[in-house]
């Protein structure tokens, strides 16, 4: 088995890829002094046969120039379409992923070196966050005949477009008598709920309960995330085999998700009524789309599939 050397200690954003590399290769931690400042950040830096790969899991902004120059390939979770920074020769897109609880691997791989390279407060925060995330599992596809829908989200301070998209979805779910809805916006700690008082929900959901309720949903919304990023929820939704209503992506995927095949795209929330009627009245159509999305995940998005894709692309 080939050895992959992990050259830094990434934060929980990279838990999916760390687990993927571990499932396919023999991984070892070898702190590279050049990358000390990237510890506990949303980048995973690794080496195989003296070729350096960077996995950048941050929100889309720009490529980290120093890492780009040192790498053979620079993999970006959010390879923003139309961005000169991301449209460079060595930048490669990634398939959707989501943070998982890989605490055993995290502690086992880095062990006491965590105390050497990370301050104790950030370290405890990472451990706490990882423990709250669901453990990765590959769901088995199930036909969903219920009309239950769950959606819960925060109100973002600087993402008014995304707020409106999600608020309209909550309203549609609440107003459609065919839907059994749970969820709503989580009230902001500063009480600036930006006029969405009618869409608020007093209940907060742990990541594990959020995942459980999403898996039961007839349909879920994949809305644009911060800066045009694709939400972590997308990969988990695909894995769960739920019907995904989505706005067009602002980032590039290695293989595109196709409208009315793998999911259902809308360009405006005024289109919600059309897809609601399709999903709630045609179970065969619902099954076709949700099953295809699950097949996409099983082929391209599992941790092991992504690890193989990353290493193969590194040497292409």
């Amino acid at each position: 088995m080939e050895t992959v050397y992990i050259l830094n200690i990434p934060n929980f954003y990279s838990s999916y890829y760390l687990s993927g590399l571990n499932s396919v290769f023999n991984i070892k931690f070898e702190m590279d002094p050049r990358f000390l400042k990237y510890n506990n950040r949303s980048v995973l830096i690794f080496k195989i046969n003296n070729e350096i790969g960077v996995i950048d899991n941050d929100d889309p902004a720009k490529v980290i120039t120093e890492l780009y120059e040192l790498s053979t390939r620079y993999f970006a979770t959010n390879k923003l379409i139309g961005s000169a920074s991301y449209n460079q020769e060595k930048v490669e897109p990634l398939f959707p992923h989501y943070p998982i609880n890989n605490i055993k691997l995290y502690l086992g791989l880095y062990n006491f070196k965590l105390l050497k390279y990370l301050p104790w407060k950030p370290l405890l925060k990472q451990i706490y966050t990882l423990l709250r995330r669901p453990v990765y599992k590959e769901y088995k596809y199930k036909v969903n005949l219920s009309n239950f829908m769950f959606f819960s989200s925060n109100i973002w301070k600087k993402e008014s477009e995304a707020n409106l998209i999600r608020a309209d979805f909550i309203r549609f779910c609440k107003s459609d008598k065919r839907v059994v809805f749970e969820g709503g916006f989580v009230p902001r700690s500063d009480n600036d709920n930006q006029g969405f008082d009618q869409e608020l929900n007093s209940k907060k959901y742990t990541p594990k309960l959020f995942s459980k309720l999403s898996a039961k949903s007839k349909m879920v919304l994949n809305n644009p995330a911060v800066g045009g990023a694709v939400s972590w929820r997308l990969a988990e939704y695909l894995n769960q085999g739920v019907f995904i209503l989505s706005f067009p992506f602002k980032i590039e995927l290695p293989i595109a998700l196709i409208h009315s095949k793998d999911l259902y795209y809308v360009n405006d929330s005024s289109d919600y009524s059309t897809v609601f009627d399709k999903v709630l009245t045609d179970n065969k159509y619902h099954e076709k789309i949700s099953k295809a999305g699950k097949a996409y995940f099983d082929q391209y998005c599992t941790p092991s599939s992504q690890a193989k894709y990353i290493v193969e692309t590194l040497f292409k």
Side-chain angles (χ1 to χ4, degrees):
M1 184 182 291
E2 208 152 16
T3 298
V4 173
Y5 293 93
I6 307 299
L7 306 180
N8 75 318
I9 304 175
N11 64 18
F12 75 99
Y13 282 50
S14 297
S15 53
Y16 197 88
Y17 292 111
L18 190 64
S19 295
L21 290 170
N22 182 63
S23 70
V24 180
F25 304 97
N26 177 38
I27 64 172
K28 292 183 178 179
F29 174 52
E30 186 181 272
M31 187 70 241
D32 189 317
R34 294 174 296 176
F35 305 131
L36 283 167
K37 64 183 176 182
Y38 297 104
N39 283 340
N40 209 35
R41 290 178 57 181
S42 55
V43 290
L44 170 59
I45 308 164
F46 67 95
K47 178 177 68 176
I48 180 168
N49 295 337
N50 293 317
E51 303 291 337
I52 291 179
V54 172
I55 301 174
D56 183 349
N57 289 295
D58 211 347
D59 294 330
K62 61 181 180 179
V63 165
I64 302 171
T65 302
E66 178 187 26
L67 295 182
Y68 179 84
E69 292 174 350
L70 289 169
S71 67
T72 304
R73 295 283 174 185
Y74 188 103
F75 299 91
T77 292
N78 292 299
K79 188 174 185 286
L80 199 61
I81 296 170
S83 164
S85 180
Y86 287 103
N87 191 29
Q88 298 185 74
E89 182 181 2
K90 295 190 294 184
V91 181
E92 301 286 351
L94 285 169
F95 290 100
H97 79 290
Y98 56 101
I100 57 175
N101 179 349
N102 68 342
I103 190 66
K104 290 182 180 179
L105 173 60
Y106 183 77
L107 296 177
L109 177 64
Y110 299 114
N111 52 69
F112 292 108
K113 292 178 182 176
L114 287 167
L115 298 172
K116 178 179 179 180
Y117 293 115
L118 297 183
W120 67 272
K121 283 188 178 179
L123 173 59
L124 289 177
K125 184 177 180 180
Q126 285 303 304
I127 292 172
Y128 173 75
T129 303
L130 286 170
L131 288 171
R132 282 171 52 83
R133 295 298 306 167
V135 173
Y136 175 75
K137 63 180 268 189
E138 291 183 15
Y139 289 80
K140 291 183 178 180
Y141 180 78
K142 294 180 181 179
V143 176
N144 187 346
L145 298 177
S146 79
N147 284 348
F148 172 78
M149 292 190 197
F150 168 73
F151 183 81
S152 178
S153 186
N154 295 318
I155 300 170
W156 294 333
K157 193 76 171 180
K158 298 180 180 180
E159 299 287 339
S160 58
E161 179 187 8
N163 288 339
L164 288 171
I165 285 169
R166 293 176 296 160
D168 283 343
F169 185 76
I170 293 167
R171 292 183 195 117
F172 264 84
C173 288
K174 285 185 171 181
S175 64
D176 195 317
K177 294 181 180 179
R178 297 168 295 181
V179 174
V180 178
F181 178 69
E182 179 172 346
F185 276 135
V186 177
R188 288 180 58 87
S189 58
D190 62 2
N191 295 318
D192 182 11
N193 295 315
Q194 301 187 34
F196 297 117
D197 292 341
Q198 297 303 310
E199 289 72 48
L200 294 179
N201 179 32
S202 59
K203 186 174 180 179
K204 292 184 179 180
Y205 300 90
T206 65
K208 292 175 183 177
L209 180 57
F210 187 104
S211 178
K212 182 179 179 180
L213 293 174
S214 295
K216 293 180 179 179
S217 294
K218 182 81 168 185
M219 178 170 62
V220 292
L221 173 67
N222 174 59
N223 59 269
V226 176
V230 164
S231 171
W232 292 335
R233 297 174 184 177
L234 174 63
E236 194 165 14
Y237 291 157
L238 289 167
N239 187 10
Q240 292 167 338
V242 294
F243 187 105
I244 300 171
L245 168 64
S246 179
F247 281 73
F249 299 143
K250 297 180 181 180
I251 62 109
E252 179 184 339
L253 298 178
I255 296 174
L257 286 155
I258 306 301
H259 169 64
S260 204
K261 176 182 177 293
D262 307 307
L263 43 60
Y264 193 102
Y265 289 115
V266 293
N267 292 304
D268 191 87
S269 56
S270 62
D271 299 324
Y272 286 168
S273 59
T274 300
V275 68
F276 267 63
D277 286 340
K278 280 181 176 287
V279 166
L280 295 172
T281 61
D282 191 341
N283 285 325
K284 288 185 177 179
Y285 182 78
H286 175 275
E287 181 180 350
K288 182 187 79 167
I289 304 297
S290 56
K291 185 179 286 186
K294 172 60 174 167
Y296 177 97
F297 178 89
D298 289 344
Q299 183 171 358
Y300 302 117
C301 301
T302 65
S304 58
S305 295
Q306 297 217 44
K308 292 172 186 175
Y309 160 76
I310 287 167
V311 172
E312 288 170 3
T313 305
L314 185 70
F315 289 102
K316 75 176 183 180

